[in-house]
Amino acid sequence: MLAELSIKNFAIIESLSISFEKGLTVLTGETGAGKSIIIDAIHLLVGGRGSSEFVRHGTNRAEIEGLVLIDDQHPCYEKAAQVGVGIDDGMIVLRREITTNGKSICRVNGKLVTLAVLREIGQTLVDIHGQHEHQDLMNQDRHLMLVDQYGGAKIDRALSEYRHLFYKYTDLKKQLEQLTENEQKMAHRLDLIQFQLDEIQAANLQPQEDERLTEERIKIANFEKVYSALNDAYNALHGEHKGLDWISLAMNNTEDIASIEKEYENISETVSNCFYQLEDVSYRIRQQLDLLEYDPKRLNFIETRLNEINYLKRKYGQSVEEILEYSAAIEDEIDKIKNRDTHVSKIKEQLDSIAKDLLVEATNVSTVRKQLARQLTENIHRELKELYMAKTVFDIKIGKINATASDLVIDNKPVKFTKDGIDHIEFYISTNPGEPLKPLAKVASGGELSRIMLALKSIFSQHQGVTSIIFDEVDTGVSGRVAQSIGEKIYHIAVNSQVLCISHLPQVAAMADTHLFISKTVKENRTMTSVDPLTNENKIKEIGRMIAGVEITDLTKEHAKELLALADKIKQA
């Protein structure tokens, strides 16, 4: 769960620290007090898009930090391990800073990460649902994603097998398109890569040639330095200084006393070893001096050859190996172009074979989706019944994506494959008995969309594994007994996950395990936002305000008490 949240210099918030508890936490307050700003801060903390406009006026940067507690089996562990982030004691600290120039700095447990990594980890921890997410239901293209999200591992397995073939199919299709381009374009391409191949082959490159030549150039360029150093070393050992003769004398003297005492024996042995090692080294130095040869012509050849290789590197690769790989690739492409008809025929045969297998896998995906759609429909009907939409008929229609003549034809029928299969999915609904089913986006009201999305969240919360679910005014457009049912539904979701909810409905606020009141004040001509947990007495006052508005009467307080008492009974049940 999200345990702690710290916000500094974010929008109208100067400094704010909030502790969250398990269960359902409801945030209430006057419009404009900063409730949604807190949710915006959490959204940025888990990888949402930010800008310099979030930085509080007069400051250099906004800072958001949050502590999230997770259990041992949470999927976040796998995501964190992939990017080298360690997790100790089930605690994750997320941090996000946004500067006035729009720069974003992200950290997970102190490790700097990219925004994309922060988003990947954040999505496993927090699910934020706001009013704009109703657009998911209005957008037919998102319906397939919602069904697959419900299916979880079951649909993932079927899709994985399908996509393995699909990407192979698309690669072959791309090759076919390249080979069937117009003649003029193909001729230009052939001339270009033939020139490149001739240029690379004329150079007669050898693997790791540049590395060997570079090493040889260094040796020749440092000939004088190497010769002088080796010659001086040899003379020090065998020249007029006679270094080895003096060591030989030391060896003879220590050998004379080696038998007297153990320590003298050790000294004698060490001196002897040093003498023979230096004698061996001196012979090797002499050999190296005899082998040294300065060849200025060879140096010029190496410089010319390396310049030629570097020229090819600028055009075809960062190393000789990459150039040779590119050469092999264009040689294969030249063969395909010159023998285009043969290759086209071969690829078409492969496409026909893969397409049939692909259709089998796509049909399997469709079968799984149809099973999931039936289960999801039943679950949604059950949830809608509890949200006072018992007479509503919900249906998930699954058909094939419309194909055109340009798509692949299998058994005399065009079939359009996408990475998600061949299915076209759309949600249909009838909210009144006797009315025909129509597309959800065309007939559902705002309140109905809120309840349908809440029903989906209620179902998905048992499968997603996120630690926290946030509802930002999802109860817009409802009232009365529907509001009461929404409050109960949100509370039931909080049984499986921590839930944070911004609401203007007293029925929802009454269901809270923790009630936070958001307020703003003006201090020294600057707006300040504060968050205060409410006691039972203050809960009554705040719910009374939500019921009646400005004036809170004794009757309003009694009504608030009744709502709280009813909420307690529902929780106990």
Side-chain angles (χ1 to χ4, degrees), residues 400-408 413-417:
K400 286 185 173 60
I401 300 172
N402 290 331
T404 62
S406 61
D407 293 308
L408 200 64
K413 294 181 181 178
V415 180
K416 184 174 183 61
F417 295 106

Side-chain angles (χ1 to χ4, degrees), residues 239-250:
E240 59 185 36
H241 297 294
K242 297 183 179 180
L244 274 175
D245 289 347
W246 287 107
I247 297 173
S248 176
L249 179 61

Side-chain angles (χ1 to χ4, degrees), residues 39-40 43 127-139 142 449-450 453 457 470-474 476:
I39 303 304
D40 289 340
H43 185 251
D127 177 28
I128 300 177
H129 173 62
Q131 297 179 64
H132 67 280
E133 288 197 29
H134 293 165
Q135 299 304 315
D136 279 354
L137 290 176
M138 300 290 283
N139 183 359
R142 302 283 288 171
L449 287 172
S450 295
M453 182 55 81
K457 288 290 179 183
I470 298 175
F471 292 110
D472 186 6
E473 298 187 18
V474 296
T476 301

Side-chain angles (χ1 to χ4, degrees), residues 248-284:
S248 176
L249 179 61
M251 180 179 67
N252 292 332
N253 289 330
T254 54
E255 283 178 349
D256 290 342
I257 62 173
S259 60
I260 297 174
E261 188 178 322
K262 183 66 176 177
E263 180 62 21
Y264 299 155
E265 183 182 352
N266 292 336
I267 292 172
S268 174
E269 185 178 344
T270 301
V271 174
S272 297
N273 289 336
C274 290
F275 173 79
Y276 293 124
Q277 286 178 359
L278 286 171
E279 188 177 45
D280 180 61
V281 167
S282 69
Y283 293 147
R284 289 163 59 191

Side-chain angles (χ1 to χ4, degrees), residues 49-65:
R49 183 174 296 178
S51 72
S52 58
E53 295 178 0
F54 285 113
V55 181
R56 182 174 168 85
H57 178 67
T59 63
N60 295 324
R61 66 178 59 206
E63 301 174 16
I64 310 163
E65 192 168 45

Side-chain angles (χ1 to χ4, degrees), residues 507-547:
Q507 295 92 334
V508 175
M511 296 298 300
D513 296 311
T514 304
H515 191 151
L516 300 179
F517 179 69
I518 318 296
S519 60
K520 67 178 179 179
T521 56
V522 178
K523 184 179 180 181
E524 297 178 358
N525 295 322
R526 294 301 302 272
T527 302
M528 316 281 285
T529 294
S530 60
V531 179
D532 300 296
L534 297 183
T535 62
N536 287 334
E537 183 63 29
N538 288 332
K539 277 185 185 179
I540 294 171
K541 291 181 181 179
E542 173 60 8
I543 292 174
R545 181 195 66 78
M546 297 172 76
I547 294 171

Side-chain angles (χ1 to χ4, degrees), residues 325-432:
E325 287 174 6
Y326 179 75
S327 173
I330 59 175
E331 190 172 11
D332 184 56
E333 187 178 351
I334 289 170
D335 177 67
K336 287 181 178 179
I337 293 174
K338 288 182 175 179
N339 301 283
R340 185 170 50 170
D341 293 341
T342 302
H343 284 287
V344 166
S345 176
K346 184 178 179 181
I347 290 174
K348 283 183 176 180
E349 289 178 7
Q350 289 179 298
L351 272 175
D352 289 340
S353 175
I354 290 178
K356 292 177 181 177
D357 294 336
L358 190 62
L359 183 60
V360 171
E361 295 297 339
T363 303
N364 179 53
V365 171
S366 298
T367 301
V368 173
R369 281 201 179 114
K370 287 172 183 176
Q371 294 172 353
L372 294 171
R374 286 193 293 270
Q375 296 171 10
L376 181 57
T377 301
E378 292 175 4
N379 289 339
I380 288 176
H381 278 138
R382 184 175 64 251
E383 296 290 336
L384 291 179
K385 184 177 180 180
E386 296 174 4
L387 290 167
Y388 293 98
M389 294 180 70
K391 295 182 180 179
T392 296
V393 178
F394 181 89
D395 191 26
I396 300 174
K397 293 188 179 295
I398 301 180
K400 286 185 173 60
I401 300 172
N402 290 331
T404 62
S406 61
D407 293 308
L408 200 64
V409 177
I410 301 177
D411 296 332
N412 298 321
K413 294 181 181 178
V415 180
K416 184 174 183 61
F417 295 106
T418 71
K419 70 179 183 65
D420 294 315
I422 57 175
D423 298 322
H424 169 88
I425 292 181
E426 188 168 6
F427 294 167
Y428 276 68
I429 193 172
S430 172
T431 55
N432 299 300

